[in-house]
Amino acid sequence: LLNCQTARRIRARGQIENADAYDCAGAGIKRNRTSTRIIMEIQRQNGKLNIAKLDEITFANARNFRKAVAPHLDSELHEIEVDLSHTEFVDGGGLGALLSLYQTANEQTPGRIVSLRLLHPQPPVLQMLELTQMKHLFDVVVAENEFEEQRIAV
C-alpha cells in the first residue's frame, strides 16, 4: 500500500483540505461530490499498476487523481488495473482522467501498448462507460454472475 502512514498523519493533523489524500483500510477521511480529495489505494508490482478503493472520480478530483498516479507511470509499466467495484460515481471529468491516464502511460512506453483494465464497475459507472462509448476503448471486466456481483459488493 502506498502512503497509508501519510494519510493517517494528514488526518491526525487536520490538514486534509486540499491535500492528495489516501485512505488505507478506513483511515476515516470522508468525501463529498465537490471535494477535490481523492481516496484510493495504489500498488505497483512487476510492471503492473493497481488502483483500488476509489469512491468516485469526478471533475472536482480528477486533477488530484492524475497527480497521485503520475509518479507510478514509467517505461517499465505494461498494465494498469483500476478496480471500480467501490466507485459509486464517475462524471465526464472522471472519464477524462481515466483517458488521460491511458494516454500518459502509453507516452511513457514508446513501442509498447500499456493496457488499461477497468474492473467490476458498479451499474451507474458501467452505464456512463456505455453511454460515452468508452467501454469500447478500455478493457472492462464486469461480474459474470449473481454470486460474483454479491462478492464484489462486499
Side-chain angles (χ1 to χ4, degrees), residues 47-78:
K48 186 180 202 179
L49 179 64
N50 294 301
I51 302 168
K53 297 200 177 176
L54 287 157
D55 289 339
E56 62 186 17
I57 310 172
T58 65
F59 180 78
N61 66 18
R63 182 182 209 188
N64 286 340
F65 173 80
R66 289 190 300 268
K67 284 172 49 178
V69 174
H72 305 284
L73 305 177
D74 61 33
S75 62
E76 295 178 16
L77 189 64
H78 60 83

Side-chain angles (χ1 to χ4, degrees), residues 39-129:
I39 299 170
M40 63 184 152
E41 290 180 359
I42 300 174
Q43 295 179 335
R44 173 75 190 266
Q45 188 174 12
N46 299 326
K48 186 180 202 179
L49 179 64
N50 294 301
I51 302 168
K53 297 200 177 176
L54 287 157
D55 289 339
E56 62 186 17
I57 310 172
T58 65
F59 180 78
N61 66 18
R63 182 182 209 188
N64 286 340
F65 173 80
R66 289 190 300 268
K67 284 172 49 178
V69 174
H72 305 284
L73 305 177
D74 61 33
S75 62
E76 295 178 16
L77 189 64
H78 60 83
E79 184 177 14
I80 301 170
E81 287 187 345
V82 182
D83 182 350
L84 297 174
S85 63
H86 292 89
T87 308
E88 298 173 0
F89 183 75
V90 174
D91 66 10
L95 293 177
L98 292 171
L99 182 59
S100 175
L101 170 62
Y102 177 74
Q103 290 174 328
T104 304
N106 281 290
E107 289 170 1
Q108 300 281 332
T109 59
R112 195 174 76 236
I113 302 286
V114 175
S115 65
L116 177 62
R117 298 180 62 190
L118 304 177
L119 305 177
H120 312 295
Q122 294 290 325
V125 175
L126 183 59
Q127 183 179 20
M128 184 69 152
L129 291 167

Side-chain angles (χ1 to χ4, degrees), residues 140-153:
V140 179
V141 178
V142 295
E144 294 180 16
N145 57 45
E146 188 176 324
F147 172 75
E148 191 167 342
E149 287 178 9
Q150 290 173 352
R151 183 183 60 81
I152 293 166

